[in-house]
Amino acid sequence: MSNSDVFQDALNRVREIGADADINPEVVESLLYPKAVIKASLPVRMDDGSTKYFTGYRCRYNDVLGPTKGGIRYHPQVTGEEVQALGLWMTIKCALLRLPYGGAKGGVIVQPKELSPMELERLSRAYVRAMADFIGPQVDIPAPDVYTNARIMGWMMDEYEAIKRVRSPGVITGKPVSLGGSLGRDEATGRGAYICIRELALKQDWQPEKTRIAVQGFGNASYHVARLLQKDGFKIVAISDSQGGIYSDSGFDIESLWKEKQSSRQVRAVYCEQSVCQLVEHKEITNEELLALDVDVLVPAALEGVITNDNVKSIRAKNIVEVANGPIQTEAEAELEKQGVSILPDVLVNAGGVTVSYFEWVQNRGGYPWDLEEVRSKLEVQMTRAFEQVWKLATTENRTFRNAAYTVALRRIGEAVTSHGTREYFREDE
């Protein structure tokens, strides 16, 4: 599915769920158009002395609930349409978690693996120079996303402060802890997803040792969710990255796989004891084969649009938990529902990242850092409360989890829109 299709798919989902949940049409209409989108050319001096131009985007999608919030991704397939779709999803996500934020997103068309560290820094600073009047701690707060990290956020904050001539740690979240970042931010998305799966398992009486899980993608978020699930006794039988994956019916040791991934940049089936690692029995599989595995839980944790009409008939998992944003195309989701597949949606599952980013912003504004246990405890409260609200609505009103999550979020956005006045207020004489 193309990135333009991803945005139209996101809009269609809002229309359909809004109509089904009897949301005021003005509220739905307000979510079909981004508030502002900026596209900029970013000149970067390369190490060989030449100047190369990269295209950068930033979308402030909706700010009815507060300043906008969303990550910045570096990827060769970034488009304006993709950024808008991600901004819309972030709007829903923040409303669902009761965060005082709207949604935003940004990106640069680049293959970051082809840049040197110094070129990467120059690109990051160029992005902020282009966006300095578009972002701000009370306006729009960026964060890390695909192929960006805490170091890059530190460069961006430093550049913003140099331009504005003011100390402003709250302009960026996901920073290094030494520069005002929050403890627990690196694990937040994965920990939030783990909490959702754990709560679902409790509701449905799963036995961890008999629950087989396949994870597509092996980045920071998927590492933490897999690590925490394995610690609880769940069996992680398959893991993949963009190059391919591995499968073993007996499961893998996630810490060993992660250690090997960091050193070799490959997903390899190993078991490590201290510094000694050895290969374990496994089968090499493709990402498509991983999606089609006969497992209890499938966790798509890579990029959007990986489950489509072309491969939906091959899905055999009875539960899908979306750690990635928008991994399932709407038409494919309709087919999965016919097959009886339960889908825990991205706007709930991966909301741990933006939640702890909010905690970081609060700490920056208050000038008072929290310890790790306080961050984890507050995240636990936020995620379990949101899960319970979605579960209750889904089970009492016979809705899908996605429909329930969007309904909760749309109702909250609707309350804010209605407070400004809708047609019913201004034409009450009718």
Side-chain angles (χ1 to χ4, degrees), residues 86-103:
L86 292 163
L88 172 54
W89 290 327
M90 185 61 79
T91 301
I92 300 296
K93 194 180 305 181
C94 291
L96 175 61
L97 270 291
R98 285 192 177 276
L99 304 180
Y101 285 147

Side-chain angles (χ1 to χ4, degrees), residues 253 256-257 259-260 270-278:
D253 178 68
S256 296
L257 297 190
K259 179 179 179 180
E260 178 65 19
V270 297
Y271 177 76
C272 301
E273 288 189 7
Q274 296 182 344
S275 61
V276 179
C277 297
Q278 61 182 15

Side-chain angles (χ1 to χ4, degrees), residues 58-107:
R58 187 69 185 172
C59 170
R60 297 202 310 249
Y61 200 92
N62 183 287
D63 63 358
V64 69
L65 294 179
T68 55
K69 187 82 186 74
I72 300 168
R73 61 175 51 184
Y74 287 175
H75 197 275
Q77 296 177 3
V78 165
T79 67
E81 289 81 6
E82 176 196 44
V83 166
Q84 291 175 78
L86 292 163
L88 172 54
W89 290 327
M90 185 61 79
T91 301
I92 300 296
K93 194 180 305 181
C94 291
L96 175 61
L97 270 291
R98 285 192 177 276
L99 304 180
Y101 285 147
K105 209 70 178 185

